[in-house]
Amino acid sequence: MASVIDRAPLQIAISSAGNSPVLARKLRTLLETLVPSAYGRLAALAGRFRDASKRRYPDPEARRRFWEEVMDGPVAEMVLSGRERDAIDALQGKLDSGTDNKPPAGYVYLVGGGPGNPELLTLRALRVMQSASVVLYDHLVAPAIVDLVRRDAERIYVGKQASNHALPQQDINALMVRLAKEGKRVVRLKGGDPFIFGRGGEEIETLAANGVSFEVVPGITAACGAGAFAGIPLTHRDYAHSCVFVTGHLKDGSIDLDWDALARPMQTVVIYMGVHGLAMLGKQLIAHGLAARTPAALVEKATLPGQRVVAGTLATIADLAASENVRPPALLIVGEVVALRDKLAWYQPGRLEAAPRAENTPNPA
Ligand code: SAH
């Protein structure tokens, strides 16, 4: 029995001729991740135009070149990104016009790189990172993730720390438009999900206004990464029926949030960028009705080997953050679900650091 990878009408069969079905299955798993699921639809598109291509290019050599261009070019890319109607139009246009002498159209992928752990990238993110000609990335994108970008791609750090913008937002937007118009495949790599507190919307608005094609690749947002890796389910039938993500960005020393909406029972609140305003956050939530003993946890460097969870209550979390010296990136999770981590915390990084050799280490005490 062969293991089969089904991308109908495409099929890949793997057989070990009975020698090792387990090895054949392992190989199948490997190939499953390498072959995009949309290859089946790409094959179907080719099938649909097969007769037309024979009429247009009776010479088999010319026809092969035509199809190679299709499979390596924008038409295939459109199918992979789900723009099938555009792909059909483009393929028809290419058949009608013979060759396309137009320079290749640039393209921007707005990619969510997730919370930092490279294993949490989506397959789509990895694929587009490996086909990029240029990558623009923020400071929140972990180096291990930037390392996965195609080797010869140009890497541009565009930064963005609260006070230290490496490039102002308008310049980033303008740079993406310029690179795309030069025909580049631009990957705009952002931490977490690009549409969650990531200004992804603003960036693609500029692209749309300038007629640049783009695709958005979602990522695991920090709240989901932190919840999973800290053993805190963000919703739970017994403790939280809703979950709100807010940003605790300071505005004139105060935080502008709808406190009544946040201080609700049976709700989890996740606050991004909350490290500086913790004391005020705790006070406001208590003033608006949450119990002072409501569990609260700060998750620092979520999903990374350096992850740390500092847990307390709404009343104590600000002092704990100071005494434990919690540093960004960190986020705050507030709600009864936080207490579940006593039972559910499973991620214990840092146990396998290379131990310093006794003879050259000073007394650790
Ligand atoms: N678009 C991103 C959020 C950008 S805002 C996303 O979807 O995750 C930046 C804030 O996200 C940080 O200040 C911090 O609160 C949070 N954050 C991002 N990565 C984090 C991580 N690995 N651990 C904890 N918090 C993180």
Side-chain angles (χ1 to χ4, degrees):
M1 264 281 280
S3 289
V4 172
I5 296 171
D6 185 11
R7 299 282 187 271
L10 270 182
Q11 289 206 332
I12 307 172
I14 302 153
S15 159
S16 67
N19 287 282
S20 176
V22 169
L23 193 60
R25 270 203 302 279
K26 270 179 91 77
L27 184 57
R28 178 192 149 181
T29 310
L30 202 66
L31 290 174
E32 283 281 2
T33 60
L34 290 177
V35 183
S37 60
Y39 265 32
R41 293 198 294 284
L42 191 53
L45 176 73
R48 196 162 150 171
F49 281 86
R50 198 166 159 71
D51 289 344
S53 76
K54 277 191 186 149
R55 284 193 298 276
R56 180 72 180 72
Y57 298 104
D59 170 31
E61 190 52 29
R63 193 159 68 239
R64 183 181 58 75
R65 274 200 307 276
F66 169 80
W67 281 115
E68 274 175 1
E69 277 178 29
V70 169
M71 293 303 165
D72 289 334
V75 173
E77 197 49 41
M78 286 172 196
V79 174
L80 295 189
S81 64
R83 298 182 305 150
E84 295 181 9
R85 188 166 308 169
D86 291 347
I88 292 169
D89 291 349
L91 188 46
Q92 187 65 58
K94 199 170 156 59
L95 264 184
D96 293 344
S97 68
T99 54
D100 55 351
N101 296 318
K102 281 178 282 163
Y107 201 85
V108 176
Y109 302 87
L110 179 64
V111 177
N117 183 328
E119 291 290 312
L120 300 180
L121 281 174
T122 63
L123 289 175
R124 183 70 187 149
L126 190 61
R127 279 196 235 292
V128 303
M129 283 160 63
Q130 293 189 338
S131 71
S133 41
V134 47
V135 178
L136 279 61
Y137 65 99
D138 289 345
H139 89 280
L140 255 188
V141 180
I145 288 182
V146 180
D147 281 350
L148 294 173
V149 167
R150 193 167 69 107
R151 264 207 197 165
D152 45 356
E154 186 186 351
R155 293 163 164 74
I156 305 177
Y157 172 74
V158 294
K160 220 196 268 172
Q161 264 150 326
S163 48
N164 167 26
H165 287 226
L167 260 195
Q169 188 68 53
Q170 308 89 285
D171 293 6
I172 299 177
N173 298 353
L175 180 61
M176 284 196 293
V177 171
R178 180 170 65 73
L179 291 167
K181 294 222 155 146
E182 286 169 8
K184 304 254 169 66
R185 280 169 166 236
V186 184
V187 165
R188 172 70 176 109
L189 189 53
K190 304 183 79 85
D193 180 87
F195 280 1
I196 305 263
F197 307 128
R199 301 212 197 176
E202 294 164 48
E203 295 188 3
I204 58 175
E205 264 174 52
T206 310
L207 299 177
N210 284 276
V212 173
S213 307
F214 58 84
E215 172 186 340
V216 183
V217 181
I220 293 184
T221 191
C224 295
F229 276 63
I232 302 173
L234 299 182
T235 69
H236 188 288
R237 282 194 296 172
D238 298 332
Y239 305 107
H241 292 171
S242 61
C243 173
V244 210
F245 297 169
V246 293
T247 166
H249 220 68
L250 298 173
K251 241 189 191 175
D252 320 326
S254 68
I255 305 174
D256 200 10
L257 291 172
D258 182 351
W259 300 109
D260 286 322
L262 298 185
R264 292 219 174 113
M266 297 290 278
Q267 172 167 278
T268 306
V269 183
V270 183
I271 299 128
Y272 286 63
M273 300 181 279
V275 185
H276 301 296
L278 283 175
M280 122 95 75
L281 267 166
K283 276 204 195 93
Q284 290 282 12
L285 289 174
I286 293 170
H288 287 78
L290 284 190
R293 52 142 288 279
T294 307
L298 280 159
V299 187
E300 180 188 274
K301 295 204 180 73
T303 78
L304 293 166
Q307 170 175 304
R308 194 158 62 119
V309 182
V310 172
T313 65
L314 270 185
T316 62
I317 197 73
D319 288 345
L320 278 171
S323 63
E324 296 286 329
N325 193 24
V326 175
R327 319 286 312 162
L331 50 70
L332 178 68
I333 307 180
V334 177
E336 299 300 333
V337 288
V338 169
L340 292 168
R341 88 177 250 288
D342 294 340
K343 284 184 285 185
L344 305 183
W346 55 272
Y347 183 57
Q348 296 163 339
R351 303 288 155 100
L352 291 176
E353 307 274 342
R357 280 190 308 178
E359 64 264 34
N360 6 323
T361 20
N363 184 345

Short mmCIF file of all heavy atoms in Angstrom, two decimals, residues 83-115:
data_model
loop_
_atom_site.label_atom_id
_atom_site.label_comp_id
_atom_site.label_asym_id
_atom_site.label_seq_id
_atom_site.Cartn_x
_atom_site.Cartn_y
_atom_site.Cartn_z
N ARG A 83 -6.22 34.01 -5.31
CA ARG A 83 -6.86 34.96 -6.23
C ARG A 83 -7.10 34.26 -7.57
O ARG A 83 -6.46 34.56 -8.58
CB ARG A 83 -5.99 36.21 -6.38
CG ARG A 83 -5.85 36.92 -5.02
CD ARG A 83 -5.03 38.17 -5.13
NE ARG A 83 -3.74 37.88 -5.71
CZ ARG A 83 -3.04 38.74 -6.45
NH1 ARG A 83 -3.52 39.93 -6.69
NH2 ARG A 83 -1.87 38.40 -6.92
N GLU A 84 -8.02 33.31 -7.56
CA GLU A 84 -8.16 32.43 -8.71
C GLU A 84 -8.76 33.12 -9.93
O GLU A 84 -8.39 32.85 -11.06
CB GLU A 84 -8.96 31.19 -8.31
CG GLU A 84 -8.19 30.38 -7.27
CD GLU A 84 -8.90 29.12 -6.81
OE1 GLU A 84 -9.92 28.74 -7.41
OE2 GLU A 84 -8.41 28.53 -5.83
N ARG A 85 -9.67 34.04 -9.67
CA ARG A 85 -10.26 34.75 -10.81
C ARG A 85 -9.19 35.57 -11.54
O ARG A 85 -9.10 35.54 -12.77
CB ARG A 85 -11.40 35.66 -10.36
CG ARG A 85 -12.14 36.25 -11.52
CD ARG A 85 -13.44 36.85 -11.07
NE ARG A 85 -14.22 35.91 -10.29
CZ ARG A 85 -15.30 36.23 -9.60
NH1 ARG A 85 -15.73 37.48 -9.58
NH2 ARG A 85 -15.97 35.33 -8.91
N ASP A 86 -8.34 36.26 -10.77
CA ASP A 86 -7.24 37.02 -11.38
C ASP A 86 -6.32 36.08 -12.17
O ASP A 86 -5.82 36.43 -13.24
CB ASP A 86 -6.41 37.73 -10.31
CG ASP A 86 -7.18 38.87 -9.64
OD1 ASP A 86 -8.24 39.24 -10.17
OD2 ASP A 86 -6.72 39.36 -8.59
N ALA A 87 -6.09 34.89 -11.60
CA ALA A 87 -5.18 33.95 -12.25
C ALA A 87 -5.74 33.52 -13.61
O ALA A 87 -5.01 33.46 -14.61
CB ALA A 87 -4.96 32.73 -11.36
N ILE A 88 -7.04 33.24 -13.65
CA ILE A 88 -7.66 32.82 -14.92
C ILE A 88 -7.54 33.95 -15.95
O ILE A 88 -7.14 33.74 -17.10
CB ILE A 88 -9.14 32.43 -14.70
CG1 ILE A 88 -9.20 31.16 -13.86
CG2 ILE A 88 -9.86 32.25 -16.03
CD1 ILE A 88 -10.59 30.81 -13.35
N ASP A 89 -7.85 35.18 -15.51
CA ASP A 89 -7.75 36.32 -16.43
C ASP A 89 -6.32 36.51 -16.93
O ASP A 89 -6.09 36.75 -18.11
CB ASP A 89 -8.21 37.61 -15.73
CG ASP A 89 -9.72 37.59 -15.46
OD1 ASP A 89 -10.40 36.70 -16.00
OD2 ASP A 89 -10.18 38.47 -14.71
N ALA A 90 -5.37 36.38 -16.00
CA ALA A 90 -3.97 36.61 -16.37
C ALA A 90 -3.50 35.54 -17.35
O ALA A 90 -2.79 35.83 -18.32
CB ALA A 90 -3.09 36.62 -15.13
N LEU A 91 -3.92 34.30 -17.11
CA LEU A 91 -3.49 33.22 -18.00
C LEU A 91 -4.12 33.39 -19.38
O LEU A 91 -3.45 33.22 -20.41
CB LEU A 91 -3.88 31.87 -17.38
CG LEU A 91 -3.35 30.62 -18.07
CD1 LEU A 91 -1.88 30.74 -18.42
CD2 LEU A 91 -3.58 29.39 -17.20
N GLN A 92 -5.39 33.77 -19.40
CA GLN A 92 -6.05 34.04 -20.68
C GLN A 92 -5.32 35.17 -21.41
O GLN A 92 -5.04 35.08 -22.61
CB GLN A 92 -7.52 34.42 -20.43
CG GLN A 92 -8.34 34.56 -21.70
CD GLN A 92 -8.47 33.21 -22.44
OE1 GLN A 92 -8.96 32.24 -21.88
NE2 GLN A 92 -7.99 33.16 -23.68
N GLY A 93 -4.99 36.22 -20.65
CA GLY A 93 -4.29 37.37 -21.25
C GLY A 93 -2.95 36.96 -21.83
O GLY A 93 -2.56 37.39 -22.92
N LYS A 94 -2.26 36.10 -21.12
CA LYS A 94 -0.94 35.65 -21.55
C LYS A 94 -1.05 34.82 -22.83
O LYS A 94 -0.25 34.96 -23.75
CB LYS A 94 -0.32 34.82 -20.43
CG LYS A 94 1.17 34.64 -20.50
CD LYS A 94 1.66 34.01 -19.20
CE LYS A 94 2.98 33.29 -19.42
NZ LYS A 94 4.07 34.12 -19.91
N LEU A 95 -2.10 34.00 -22.91
CA LEU A 95 -2.32 33.20 -24.12
C LEU A 95 -2.67 34.10 -25.30
O LEU A 95 -2.18 33.91 -26.41
CB LEU A 95 -3.48 32.23 -23.90
CG LEU A 95 -3.16 30.81 -23.48
CD1 LEU A 95 -4.43 30.00 -23.41
CD2 LEU A 95 -2.18 30.16 -24.45
N ASP A 96 -3.49 35.10 -25.04
CA ASP A 96 -3.92 36.00 -26.12
C ASP A 96 -2.76 36.82 -26.66
O ASP A 96 -2.63 37.04 -27.85
CB ASP A 96 -5.02 36.95 -25.62
CG ASP A 96 -6.30 36.18 -25.30
OD1 ASP A 96 -6.41 35.02 -25.74
OD2 ASP A 96 -7.16 36.75 -24.60
N SER A 97 -1.89 37.29 -25.74
CA SER A 97 -0.87 38.24 -26.17
C SER A 97 0.42 37.54 -26.59
O SER A 97 1.36 38.18 -27.03
CB SER A 97 -0.56 39.21 -25.03
OG SER A 97 0.07 38.52 -24.00
N GLY A 98 0.48 36.23 -26.42
CA GLY A 98 1.72 35.55 -26.76
C GLY A 98 2.69 35.65 -25.61
O GLY A 98 2.61 34.92 -24.66
N THR A 99 3.60 36.58 -25.69
CA THR A 99 4.52 36.77 -24.57
C THR A 99 4.07 37.99 -23.80
O THR A 99 3.45 38.89 -24.35
CB THR A 99 5.94 37.04 -25.06
OG1 THR A 99 5.87 38.13 -25.96
CG2 THR A 99 6.53 35.82 -25.71
N ASP A 100 4.39 38.04 -22.55
CA ASP A 100 4.13 39.31 -21.87
C ASP A 100 5.45 40.06 -21.73
O ASP A 100 6.37 39.60 -21.08
CB ASP A 100 3.38 39.16 -20.54
CG ASP A 100 4.05 38.22 -19.59
OD1 ASP A 100 5.02 37.55 -20.03
OD2 ASP A 100 3.65 38.16 -18.44
N ASN A 101 5.53 41.17 -22.39
CA ASN A 101 6.76 41.94 -22.36
C ASN A 101 6.80 42.91 -21.19
O ASN A 101 7.79 43.58 -20.98
CB ASN A 101 6.92 42.72 -23.67
CG ASN A 101 7.06 41.77 -24.84
OD1 ASN A 101 7.76 40.76 -24.73
ND2 ASN A 101 6.37 42.05 -25.94
N LYS A 102 5.69 42.93 -20.46
CA LYS A 102 5.66 43.84 -19.32
C LYS A 102 6.67 43.38 -18.28
O LYS A 102 6.89 42.18 -18.11
CB LYS A 102 4.26 43.85 -18.69
CG LYS A 102 3.27 44.69 -19.47
CD LYS A 102 1.90 44.64 -18.84
CE LYS A 102 1.21 43.33 -19.21
NZ LYS A 102 0.09 42.95 -18.42
N PRO A 103 7.29 44.33 -17.59
CA PRO A 103 8.20 43.91 -16.51
C PRO A 103 7.39 43.20 -15.44
O PRO A 103 6.18 43.43 -15.32
CB PRO A 103 8.75 45.24 -15.98
CG PRO A 103 7.77 46.28 -16.41
CD PRO A 103 7.12 45.77 -17.66
N PRO A 104 8.02 42.31 -14.67
CA PRO A 104 7.26 41.58 -13.67
C PRO A 104 6.65 42.55 -12.67
O PRO A 104 7.30 43.52 -12.27
CB PRO A 104 8.32 40.70 -13.00
CG PRO A 104 9.62 41.37 -13.29
CD PRO A 104 9.46 42.05 -14.61
N ALA A 105 5.41 42.29 -12.29
CA ALA A 105 4.76 43.18 -11.33
C ALA A 105 5.25 42.85 -9.93
O ALA A 105 5.40 41.69 -9.57
CB ALA A 105 3.25 42.99 -11.42
N GLY A 106 5.54 43.87 -9.15
CA GLY A 106 5.95 43.65 -7.77
C GLY A 106 4.77 43.28 -6.92
O GLY A 106 3.61 43.35 -7.35
N TYR A 107 5.08 42.90 -5.71
CA TYR A 107 4.03 42.32 -4.89
C TYR A 107 4.47 42.46 -3.45
O TYR A 107 5.64 42.32 -3.14
CB TYR A 107 3.94 40.84 -5.27
CG TYR A 107 2.65 40.18 -4.93
CD1 TYR A 107 1.58 40.24 -5.79
CD2 TYR A 107 2.51 39.48 -3.74
CE1 TYR A 107 0.38 39.61 -5.48
CE2 TYR A 107 1.33 38.84 -3.42
CZ TYR A 107 0.26 38.91 -4.30
OH TYR A 107 -0.91 38.29 -3.99
N VAL A 108 3.53 42.76 -2.58
CA VAL A 108 3.89 42.85 -1.16
C VAL A 108 3.12 41.81 -0.36
O VAL A 108 1.91 41.68 -0.49
CB VAL A 108 3.60 44.26 -0.58
CG1 VAL A 108 3.89 44.30 0.92
CG2 VAL A 108 4.41 45.33 -1.31
N TYR A 109 3.86 41.07 0.45
CA TYR A 109 3.24 40.13 1.40
C TYR A 109 3.36 40.75 2.78
O TYR A 109 4.46 40.98 3.26
CB TYR A 109 3.97 38.80 1.42
CG TYR A 109 4.03 38.11 0.08
CD1 TYR A 109 5.07 38.39 -0.80
CD2 TYR A 109 3.08 37.18 -0.29
CE1 TYR A 109 5.15 37.75 -2.04
CE2 TYR A 109 3.15 36.53 -1.52
CZ TYR A 109 4.18 36.84 -2.38
OH TYR A 109 4.26 36.20 -3.60
N LEU A 110 2.22 41.01 3.39
CA LEU A 110 2.23 41.50 4.76
C LEU A 110 2.12 40.27 5.65
O LEU A 110 1.08 39.63 5.71
CB LEU A 110 1.05 42.44 4.96
CG LEU A 110 0.87 43.05 6.34
CD1 LEU A 110 2.04 43.94 6.70
CD2 LEU A 110 -0.43 43.85 6.40
N VAL A 111 3.24 39.94 6.31
CA VAL A 111 3.32 38.63 6.96
C VAL A 111 3.39 38.75 8.48
O VAL A 111 4.22 39.50 9.01
CB VAL A 111 4.58 37.87 6.46
CG1 VAL A 111 4.71 36.52 7.19
CG2 VAL A 111 4.51 37.65 4.97
N GLY A 112 2.56 38.01 9.16
CA GLY A 112 2.65 37.92 10.61
C GLY A 112 3.68 36.86 10.98
O GLY A 112 3.54 35.70 10.59
N GLY A 113 4.69 37.27 11.72
CA GLY A 113 5.77 36.34 12.08
C GLY A 113 5.50 35.61 13.39
O GLY A 113 6.35 34.87 13.87
N GLY A 114 4.35 35.87 14.01
CA GLY A 114 4.04 35.20 15.27
C GLY A 114 4.81 35.81 16.43
O GLY A 114 5.55 36.78 16.27
N PRO A 115 4.66 35.22 17.62
CA PRO A 115 5.20 35.84 18.84
C PRO A 115 6.70 35.65 19.02
O PRO A 115 7.27 36.18 19.97
CB PRO A 115 4.43 35.13 19.96
CG PRO A 115 3.99 33.85 19.37
CD PRO A 115 3.81 34.06 17.90
#
